[in-house]
Amino acid sequence: MVIRDPVIQREALLPPHMPAQNGQHIDYKLLTLVRTLPKIELHRHLEGSVRLETLIDIALKYGIEMPEYDPEMLRPFVQMMPDENRTSQHFLSKFSMLRQFYRSNDVVARVTREAVEDAAADNIHYMELRFTPMALCNVTKSPLEDIVALVAETVCETAKTCGIQVKLIASMNRHEAVEIGEKVMKAAIANMHKGVVALDLAGDEANFSALPFRGLFQQAREAGLGITIHAGEWSGANSVWDAIGNMNAKRIGHGIRALEDIAMINVLVEREIVLEVCPSSNYLSGIVDSLDNHPLILLTDHDVLTTINTDDPSVCNITLSEEIVRTMTHIGLTLEDIKKYTLRAARAAFLPNSERDALVRQFQAALARF
Ligand code: HPA
Ligand code: ZN
């Protein structure tokens, strides 16, 4: 396909951070208020946080053949659209497309820098950004350890410039080889001093068990890394049992299908396991049929520790402020509830005790001003 100049479309003319629509109305007044609130993000994938304009720049620079070269036309290839097939497979297919873009270390550094800048612009004060090293070195074949160090160093520099605190979670996919996971685990441990705080298992939960990765996660835990596992998203409560009982997860990515088994809910409460809930992602990947029916409040009413997150801001076309507004307008949370969710997220940060206590105090003080 011949590369043509990008055409300036409606998207390029909009101010940055216009709210995601996904076919749904958003309350702008509320959004303006929520944007000013200091926020915490515990579950955000770097690979799902790439600006459309950046993808186009990269494609033009590296001669990547793309179906389209303007943001609006590219959007359906990398983002979930409202009228699309809302399935886990389709959701994950967007990440295969995105993997084609990591052509050099410069690209990885740029995408990382912009992800931190975008979070800071949305007034996120603390973020745990997860990244899948294998996705970032898929094309360049750069050593995985080098990519982990590059992301960690870029995050440190950008976070300092933007006045935001960012820690890293290294992810591996359960539908990929355990040998890849082993490299990720080792690189994560080697980069703990550069801000890597935890290990995550993501990927196709519907068709792949977590169990082959059990030994890796045990080593990570013994080395002092936090453990979070995507579970109870595209598979049921059994998968959450595995994540807690066998993988020793202290936090669960999504976890909402734990509700299919009340005994599982009791374990979550007793062990104070935190759920990193991502409502828009759950809707777009087909777990809930509408945001209005999302079980976030039901889980919280059962005393499960829940937090609100975006998962993949660019794939879901959402910012954290927009996600929070949606929980208010569709699920019924109040501003006071949002403050509680934010403090709960601070208490769940994968930080040493003294730093976590300081983070909680910082947020208590900042939120008290609202
Ligand atoms: N689930 C599993 N893997 C993922 C997800 C998710 O929601 N987002 C990116 N990788
Ligand atoms: Zn996720």
Side-chain angles (χ1 to χ4, degrees):
M1 180 182 280
V2 179
I3 295 177
R4 56 187 170 82
D5 288 338
V7 179
I8 296 175
Q9 293 279 327
R10 188 181 68 91
E11 175 80 0
L13 301 173
L14 294 172
H17 312 297
M18 281 297 284
Q21 293 299 312
N22 279 337
Q24 306 197 26
H25 169 75
I26 192 141
D27 182 333
Y28 283 79
K29 212 170 149 194
L30 197 51
L31 181 60
T32 306
L33 175 70
V34 170
R35 276 194 188 139
T36 62
L37 208 62
K39 289 174 285 291
I40 294 183
E41 171 86 273
L42 296 180
H43 189 128
R44 176 175 295 201
H45 296 257
L46 174 63
E47 302 78 34
S49 309
V50 193
R51 299 175 189 167
L52 286 178
E53 295 77 7
T54 299
L55 291 179
I56 288 165
D57 277 358
I58 297 166
L60 291 172
K61 181 164 178 193
Y62 292 90
I64 303 172
E65 286 202 3
M66 298 229 286
E68 297 292 346
Y69 290 89
D70 70 73
E72 276 314 313
M73 301 303 278
L74 177 64
R75 191 183 290 283
F77 295 93
V78 294
Q79 274 182 3
M80 292 297 289
M81 303 303 282
D83 52 354
E84 269 187 308
N85 194 7
R86 295 186 298 109
T87 63
S88 59
Q89 290 295 343
H90 193 60
F91 191 87
L92 281 177
S93 74
K94 307 287 175 182
F95 291 89
S96 311
M97 172 77 174
L98 287 164
R99 277 190 179 199
Q100 311 309 316
F101 288 85
Y102 299 104
R103 297 295 169 116
S104 68
N105 285 5
D106 283 351
V107 171
V108 173
R110 174 176 175 179
V111 168
T112 305
R113 203 167 46 243
E114 291 178 353
V116 174
E117 288 168 358
D118 288 351
D122 193 29
N123 215 13
I124 292 175
H125 288 197
Y126 178 80
M127 171 164 72
E128 289 177 6
L129 181 64
R130 62 192 70 198
F131 68 115
T132 312
M134 191 57 198
L136 303 177
C137 56
N138 189 40
V139 179
T140 59
K141 309 287 178 221
S142 300
L144 194 139
E145 314 79 56
D146 293 359
I147 289 291
V148 173
L150 174 66
V151 170
E153 283 155 19
T154 308
V155 160
C156 275
E157 278 165 28
T158 319
K160 207 180 286 172
T161 312
C162 296
I164 171 177
Q165 198 182 351
V166 183
K167 298 292 177 188
L168 284 163
I169 299 177
S171 278
M172 59 189 76
N173 280 321
R174 45 170 100 208
H175 58 259
E176 293 179 334
V178 176
E179 290 71 28
I180 296 172
E182 186 171 10
K183 285 189 185 172
V184 174
M185 179 269 291
K186 287 185 173 157
I189 293 173
N191 283 280
M192 286 172 74
H193 65 294
K194 290 186 182 164
V196 178
V197 292
L199 203 61
D200 167 47
L201 187 65
D204 183 357
E205 185 199 358
N207 295 299
F208 293 83
S209 160
L211 293 185
F213 295 85
R214 185 179 178 190
L216 299 188
F217 278 74
Q218 189 176 335
Q219 280 185 60
R221 192 167 52 91
E222 284 165 7
L225 284 170
I227 303 295
T228 176
I229 307 273
H230 283 72
E233 179 192 22
W234 299 326
S235 187
N238 274 349
S239 171
V240 184
W241 281 107
D242 269 348
I244 295 169
N246 291 310
M247 309 294 285
N248 240 303
K250 292 289 168 271
R251 295 192 340 218
I252 299 289
H254 305 281
I256 63 172
R257 288 184 59 186
L259 278 166
E260 291 170 10
D261 180 355
I262 191 65
M264 185 70 254
I265 293 293
N266 292 338
V267 170
L268 291 176
V269 174
E270 272 163 26
R271 297 202 187 181
E272 301 184 348
I273 305 289
V274 173
L275 300 192
E276 305 154 353
V277 180
C278 312
S280 292
S281 165
N282 295 158
Y283 169 69
L284 289 168
S285 73
I287 315 176
V288 292
D289 59 6
S290 86
L291 274 182
D292 305 278
N293 293 334
H294 193 282
L296 175 67
I297 291 191
L298 187 57
L299 285 158
T300 316
D301 284 350
H302 275 95
D303 292 328
V304 177
L305 299 174
T306 48
T307 59
I308 301 168
N309 305 277
T310 57
D311 206 10
D312 299 292
S314 56
V315 174
C316 299
N317 194 14
I318 193 111
T319 63
L320 182 59
S321 292
E322 289 159 7
E323 187 79 45
I324 288 172
V325 168
R326 286 182 177 188
T327 65
M328 298 172 83
T329 52
H330 288 268
I331 309 180
L333 296 188
T334 64
L335 196 59
E336 285 311 307
D337 291 329
I338 297 302
K339 292 184 193 178
K340 286 184 193 150
Y341 276 82
T342 306
L343 284 175
R344 206 179 288 139
R347 289 188 198 100
F350 282 134
L351 288 173
N353 289 346
S354 60
E355 287 180 41
R356 195 173 46 238
D357 291 348
L359 186 73
V360 173
R361 282 197 301 275
Q362 175 195 322
F363 270 87
Q364 277 168 335
L367 291 170
R369 289 196 281 275
F370 273 80

